[in-house]
Amino acid sequence: MDVPARLRYSMNHEWIDDTADPATVGITAFAAAALGDVIYAELPEPGTQLAAGEVCGEVESTKSVAELYMPVSGEIVATNEAVVAAPDLIGADPYGAGWLFRVRLTETPPLMTADEYRAHLTEADSGGVS
């Protein structure tokens, strides 16, 4: 499973690239694969202030609907309109063209490194994490 080392990860399978301001957020390749063919993405509106852990949108696939959770606190400054127009970008390129939104950070809770996220996936696969 592709887990880029430069990113940080939430327990809810969102990734964040906070090496630039604003930070970029998306869902992981694991989450995209679990969803299957994504047919709709509802993303937060620019200007929205959200706290870490809040529901900030949803992604719908032919299999299910998954809520998106804000991995950090901050203000949404941009959404990926290409994903809204072509939601399949999320599965095709989750760490590139399939990014979801950009956020100006106000608070960053502890997030997982790539190695910690891989361990989380292994633990979840063995039934240890829900």
Side-chain angles (χ1 to χ4, degrees):
M1 185 64 53
D2 188 21
V3 182
R6 74 180 190 285
L7 305 175
R8 295 193 298 155
Y9 301 88
S10 75
M11 297 292 266
N12 295 312
H13 309 289
E14 286 88 18
W15 59 261
I16 183 165
D17 182 351
D18 58 0
T19 59
D21 183 25
T24 303
V25 175
I27 65 170
T28 65
F30 173 84
L35 282 168
D37 296 329
V38 178
I39 57 173
Y40 175 75
E42 179 183 314
L43 304 177
E45 292 291 322
T48 304
Q49 295 278 343
L50 293 162
E54 281 190 81
V55 173
C56 60
E58 68 181 32
V59 177
E60 183 178 340
S61 73
T62 55
K63 293 182 182 180
S64 66
V65 176
E67 292 182 323
L68 299 172
Y69 294 91
M70 190 71 166
V72 294
S73 297
E75 178 185 358
I76 304 300
V77 296
T79 56
N80 187 348
E81 293 303 320
V83 161
V84 173
D88 58 319
L89 283 174
I90 294 170
D93 190 10
Y95 301 113
W99 65 272
L100 301 178
F101 55 87
R102 294 206 165 105
V103 58
R104 186 158 293 114
L105 303 174
T106 58
E107 181 184 347
T108 304
L111 295 167
M112 292 180 277
T113 65
D115 288 341
E116 291 167 335
Y117 183 67
R118 280 188 206 93
H120 171 67
L121 294 177
T122 300
E123 189 176 315
D125 191 41
S126 66
V129 175
S130 59

